[in-house]
Amino acid sequence: MTTGDRILDGVRVVDLTTFVTGGFCSLMLANQGAEVIKVERPGVGDDNRHSGPPFIDGESPYFWTVNYGKKSVELDLKSDAGREALYDLASEADVFLQNYRPGTAERLDVDEETIRSHNDDVIYCAISAFGQTGPWRERPGYDLLIQGMSGMMSVTGEPDGRPVKVGLPTTDLITGMWAAFGISNALYRRERTGEGEYIDLGMLDAALPWLTKQAGKVFAGECPSRMGTKDPVLAPYQTFETADGYLNVACLNQKLWNGLCQAIDRPELADDERFETNADRVEHMDELESELERTFRELTTDEWMTLLVDEAGLPAGPVHDVEDALYNEQTAARESVTSMEHPEHGEIPVIEHPLKYDRSSSGFESPPPKLGEDTRSVFRDLGYDEEKLDELTDRGAFGSE
């Protein structure tokens, strides 16, 4: 729970998306104070509600992590009454967000032209796998497919292994972040011009700028490949096995390399012509790995952390499992993982977002919503009386009973 002004206080977002691309976008906006109204299919809701196991009393904790701080309304957009209610909702919105496959929004009459006829200065963001144009525009796409088609999987995994998917829904999250960035930019522009905006965002487009150093190798005429934890342009910059686990070591410059050689009591490595410069070390990366791993296997990860980090001030760190990553002395000090009260589940965990302002506040003000729990209250706030709500209910706007 936060207090004080949040940067997006007063911004209303109508979110028709399912799963993670749009969900993480509106999650970021909610964290900054936006009122996010999640429009869901009656009786079913966001597909992410059913992602599991695991489930906690029938609810997906994965759904929780992408939907803190939102409101949920059920609308049947295939009914005239449901669309009428949506248009009233959209007429009071600042942002309209959907992630349908191109063509679906037009069939449902929730495309940009239709929504803008009810709200001329709305920020309309359309997320899809490949964008609204191009020969692949109508293809379905999910994180796994985009990881493969973006080149990410070709450079993830061991050199002699098969392509590996990043263990997180990376391209979903990347796309959600780009969407939130674009929407924030468009809101800022609207403050200056009074004009709305249309944002066409494809997941494949969103992933490509993250290739950075691998793209650089292509631009230089080389072909990036899977390298395990090694880095294509830096060495040593990888994971090493220790006596009881694994240790990441990141030497980005010559000073750090020399310091590492001293700290591990291998000064002869600094004088070895194979390892003299970073370019030399990259060229002889396998030999360097063999030399260093032989040394790192002599002590435990904690012992190396004492020698390298506490005493020598070098950049090294353990490979945490997810539980250790969430709960440690640093995340506790930063309040990175907190909790909030859920009306049915008691205290539930919350992964806080990382922006910490000096003059503004941020954070989630409510738990993830139950399906449709805010339907009547949201429309009451729009001015609907009980008679109107009952009429819409009878006409199937909110689904069948």
Side-chain angles (χ1 to χ4, degrees), residues 80-219:
D80 290 339
R83 287 192 298 273
E84 289 171 17
L86 177 71
Y87 297 152
D88 286 343
L89 198 57
S91 70
E92 299 296 323
D94 298 285
V95 177
F96 191 93
L97 179 65
Q98 54 94 342
N99 66 346
Y100 296 123
R101 197 187 307 185
T104 301
E106 287 77 10
R107 290 194 296 273
L108 291 173
D109 289 327
V110 296
D111 55 289
E112 188 222 357
E113 182 179 356
T114 302
I115 298 302
R116 199 167 299 286
S117 71
H118 296 275
N119 185 344
D120 184 57
D121 65 356
V122 73
I123 309 301
Y124 187 107
C125 181
I127 300 172
S128 59
F130 301 101
Q132 302 297 312
T133 59
W136 298 349
R137 65 183 293 271
E138 295 185 4
R139 288 187 183 183
Y142 295 96
D143 173 70
L144 172 64
L145 307 184
I146 303 302
Q147 285 204 35
M149 298 177 77
S150 68
M152 286 186 182
M153 288 177 63
S154 74
V155 295
T156 304
E158 294 299 328
D160 57 350
R162 64 198 300 176
V164 174
K165 178 177 73 71
V166 178
L168 311 176
T170 306
T171 64
D172 283 338
L173 300 171
I174 288 170
T175 303
M177 295 181 76
W178 278 119
F181 177 64
I183 287 168
S184 298
N185 288 343
L187 288 169
Y188 175 70
R189 180 182 180 276
R190 193 179 69 174
E191 286 296 304
R192 295 188 292 113
T193 67
E195 296 178 333
E197 186 58 272
Y198 175 75
I199 302 170
D200 167 14
L201 176 61
M203 293 176 66
L204 181 60
D205 298 334
L208 296 180
W210 289 53
L211 295 177
T212 59
K213 63 182 68 176
Q214 285 79 12
K217 290 179 75 70
V218 171
F219 297 157

Side-chain angles (χ1 to χ4, degrees), residues 48-52 54-65 368:
N48 206 23
R49 289 184 179 274
H50 313 290
S51 294
F55 295 102
I56 297 176
D57 296 331
E59 289 198 4
S60 169
Y62 180 23
F63 174 82
W64 293 352
T65 65

Side-chain angles (χ1 to χ4, degrees), residues 257 261 264 266-272 275-276 288 291-292:
W257 165 243
C261 294
I264 65 174
R266 296 288 306 276
E268 77 280 5
L269 294 179
D271 298 325
D272 192 316
F275 312 135
E276 186 173 354
L288 178 64
E291 290 284 354
L292 291 177

